[in-house]
Amino acid sequence: MGAGRLYGAVAVGGFRRYATYRTATAAGVFTNTVFGIILVYTYLALWNEKPHLGGYDQAQAVTYVWLGQCLYATLAIQGGGVEKDLMERIRTGEIAIDLYRPADLQLWWLATDLGRSLFQLLGRGVVPFAFGALFFPMALPGDVTTWVAFAVALLLAMTVSFGIRYLAALSVFWLMDGMGVNQVLMVLGIFCSGMTLPLNVFPGALGDVVRTLPWAAQLQVPADVLLGESAPLSAYAFQAAWAVALLAAGRLIQTAATRRVVVQGG
């Protein structure tokens, strides 16, 4: 089997695995829809007081809310993707089996996570977004070109998200437990990605800093592409730069960890 077919099959396997959790998916759809409603009315009150806050009008702000709910699980913004499985396999020593596979460890988990992301987008993200579009005024583009540009930005966002979480998972080679790392991922993900508020709203130096961090490539950048607030090529360049940097860092740390490492059980 060629490499492309192998990792394609791994991605399909990741999609099918998460598709089996139907009750959890339905609960997630309900949760994201409820949180979306709460956030929309919060944003509307805020934008009534501060019109065009962060450069968005009210319809754009509402669109941003529902896009965030759509991508919350898709990008595992607070964690909860394949990194949890990888952390557990490192902790128990089962990672040794993975290292003996005739496949690249990083690409294997990337393919798995992309399959997971695609299912979460279709299974958990589309319904809240469609609900928002049906019951609230949203600034959705009317041309196919913008949607295609957004799809490319979303794929890059998935890769950046994996890169962040893969680095976190690899830390368990030395820490032997991922609980603290997961907590850090949750806090940074919710704050630095723009899930709480668009990063365009953050003032002064704080805003300048958070908009240059890799978490900005997850939600803020794809949202600006969809809303027509960012040129696609500049957005892609930012996301691709972080994707390459994170994957390269993951490769280096993976090499260091697997060159000579002791895992649970010997």
Side-chain angles (χ1 to χ4, degrees), residues 73-129:
T74 301
L75 301 177
I77 287 176
Q78 283 191 282
V82 298
E83 78 283 352
K84 294 187 69 175
D85 294 334
L86 180 54
M87 286 177 177
E88 182 63 16
R89 293 184 72 81
I90 295 172
R91 189 188 68 81
T92 61
E94 293 178 349
I95 190 66
I97 299 172
D98 300 337
L99 294 172
Y100 273 109
R101 287 195 183 111
D104 183 84
L105 182 69
Q106 187 183 50
L107 290 178
W108 179 282
W109 286 99
L110 173 59
T112 303
D113 198 58
L114 289 177
R116 178 206 62 81
S117 297
L118 182 58
F119 171 76
Q120 296 288 20
L121 175 65
L122 299 177
R124 182 169 170 175
V126 169
V127 173
F129 191 80

Side-chain angles (χ1 to χ4, degrees), residues 48-214:
N48 278 333
E49 293 295 323
K50 298 284 187 180
H52 299 287
L53 182 63
Y56 293 158
D57 58 28
Q58 278 195 347
Q60 288 176 312
V62 170
T63 306
Y64 186 93
V65 168
W66 289 111
L67 184 62
Q69 295 306 307
C70 174
L71 300 184
Y72 174 80
T74 301
L75 301 177
I77 287 176
Q78 283 191 282
V82 298
E83 78 283 352
K84 294 187 69 175
D85 294 334
L86 180 54
M87 286 177 177
E88 182 63 16
R89 293 184 72 81
I90 295 172
R91 189 188 68 81
T92 61
E94 293 178 349
I95 190 66
I97 299 172
D98 300 337
L99 294 172
Y100 273 109
R101 287 195 183 111
D104 183 84
L105 182 69
Q106 187 183 50
L107 290 178
W108 179 282
W109 286 99
L110 173 59
T112 303
D113 198 58
L114 289 177
R116 178 206 62 81
S117 297
L118 182 58
F119 171 76
Q120 296 288 20
L121 175 65
L122 299 177
R124 182 169 170 175
V126 169
V127 173
F129 191 80
F131 176 89
L134 184 62
F135 291 101
F136 295 92
M138 290 172 60
L140 298 177
D143 59 296
V144 177
T145 304
T146 302
W147 285 104
V148 172
F150 168 72
V152 175
L154 181 55
L155 179 60
L156 288 169
M158 292 177 182
T159 307
V160 171
S161 173
F162 168 79
I164 294 170
R165 291 178 286 111
Y166 189 70
L167 284 173
L170 291 178
S171 69
V172 180
F173 273 113
W174 290 273
L175 299 176
M176 306 304 291
D177 184 81
M179 185 175 296
V181 177
N182 281 326
Q183 294 298 317
V184 173
L185 274 179
M186 289 177 63
V187 174
L188 290 176
I190 199 71
F191 182 79
C192 295
S193 69
M195 273 297 299
T196 306
L197 279 173
L199 300 182
N200 297 339
V201 173
F202 286 38
L206 176 61
D208 294 336
V209 170
V210 293
R211 285 190 290 271
T212 60
L213 296 176

Side-chain angles (χ1 to χ4, degrees), residues 243-259:
V244 170
L246 290 167
L247 293 177
R251 178 72 59 177
L252 289 174
I253 294 176
Q254 172 187 309
T255 301
T258 56
R259 182 180 294 118

